[in-house]
C-alpha cells in the first residue's frame, strides 16, 4: 500500500483540522451513516458512545501510520475479520467510505479541496481494499455475499 508524499501530507494536515473541529467528526459520521444507511443500525449497540470513541481512536492510528499503511495490515486484517462476525458485507464498505469522506467534507467545508478528497479516497481505497481482501477472499473463509 502506498500513497504519494503529497497525499500523506494532505491527509495528515486535513485530519488535524478535522480532529480539532468543535463538531465531533466521529459522532457526525455515525449519525450520517445510520441516517443514510439504515441497514447499519443492526450492526451497532443502542448506546453508540463507546463506538464513537473507538472509531476516533482507530482513525488516529490510521492517520499516524498513513505514510506506511502496510504496517497496519495485521491490525486491518483482524478488524476486518471482526467486521465479518458482526455481519458486515464486503459491498457495504463503499457506503461507509462515502459517508466518511462526505463527513470530512462537511466539517472542512470549502477547505476540503479536490486534492484532499482524492487523498482520503486513496487512503480509504487502500485500507478497505486490504480489509476486504483479507476478510472475504481468504480461501479458508466463506464469503457472506
Amino acid at each position: 500500500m502506498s500513497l504519494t508524499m503529497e497525499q500523506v501530507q494532505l491527509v495528515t494536515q486535513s485530519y488535524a483540522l478535522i480532529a480539532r473541529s468543535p463538531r465531533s467528526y466521529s459522532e457526525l459520521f455515525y449519525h450520517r451513516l445510520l441516517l443514510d444507511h439504515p441497514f447499519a443500525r443492526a450492526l451497532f449497540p443502542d448506546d453508540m458512545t463507546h463506538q464513537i470513541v473507538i472509531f476516533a481512536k482507530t482513525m488516529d492510528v490510521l492517520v499516524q501510520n498513513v505514510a506506511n499503511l502496510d504496517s497496519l495490515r495485521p491490525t486491518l486484517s483482524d478488524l476486518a475479520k471482526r467486521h465479518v462476525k458482526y455481519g458486515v458485507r464486503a459491498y457495504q464498505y463503499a457506503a461507509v467510505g462515502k459517508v466518511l469522506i462526505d463527513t470530512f467534507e462537511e466539517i472542512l467545508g470549502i477547505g476540503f479541496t479536490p486534492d484532499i478528497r482524492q487523498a482520503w479516497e486513496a487512503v480509504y481505497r487502500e485500507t478497505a481494499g486490504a480489509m476486504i481482501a483479507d476478510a472475504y477472499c481468504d480461501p479458508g473463509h466463506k464469503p457472506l455475499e
Side-chain angles (χ1 to χ4, degrees):
M1 290 188 257
S2 64
L3 302 169
T4 68
M5 285 309 298
E6 180 183 2
Q7 288 173 319
V8 168
Q9 289 176 334
L10 289 171
V11 166
T12 303
Q13 291 167 354
S14 64
Y15 187 72
L17 296 172
I18 291 163
R20 285 195 315 257
S21 171
R23 295 177 72 191
S24 164
Y25 75 84
S26 192
E27 285 181 33
L28 182 58
F29 165 75
Y30 280 110
H31 173 77
R32 291 178 70 138
L33 179 66
L34 299 178
L35 185 66
D36 294 351
H37 302 284
F39 72 81
R41 180 67 257 175
L43 301 173
F44 299 104
D46 290 339
D47 181 356
M48 294 289 291
T49 306
H50 180 71
Q51 183 65 35
I52 288 166
V53 170
I54 292 299
F55 180 74
K57 287 180 180 181
T58 301
M59 290 300 300
D60 289 347
V61 170
L62 176 69
V63 172
Q64 288 166 4
N65 291 279
V66 73
N68 183 15
L69 290 175
D70 282 335
S71 69
L72 293 178
R73 187 69 184 245
T75 302
L76 292 172
S77 180
D78 290 344
L79 181 61
K81 289 173 184 172
R82 284 196 311 270
H83 279 79
V84 170
K85 291 177 185 173
Y86 302 145
V88 175
R89 298 184 182 257
Y91 72 87
Q92 293 169 326
Y93 279 76
V96 170
K98 180 173 181 355
V99 170
L100 178 65
I101 292 167
D102 288 350
T103 298
F104 290 167
E105 180 178 33
E106 182 176 335
I107 289 190
L108 291 181
I110 60 171
F112 196 77
T113 65
D115 287 341
I116 292 172
R117 174 178 285 280
Q118 288 174 355
W120 276 106
E121 287 172 347
V123 169
Y124 192 79
R125 186 173 46 254
E126 293 288 335
T127 56
M131 291 173 73
I132 290 167
D134 287 355
Y136 300 93
C137 298
D138 180 353
H141 182 350
K142 183 176 169 50
L144 294 176
E145 296 184 289

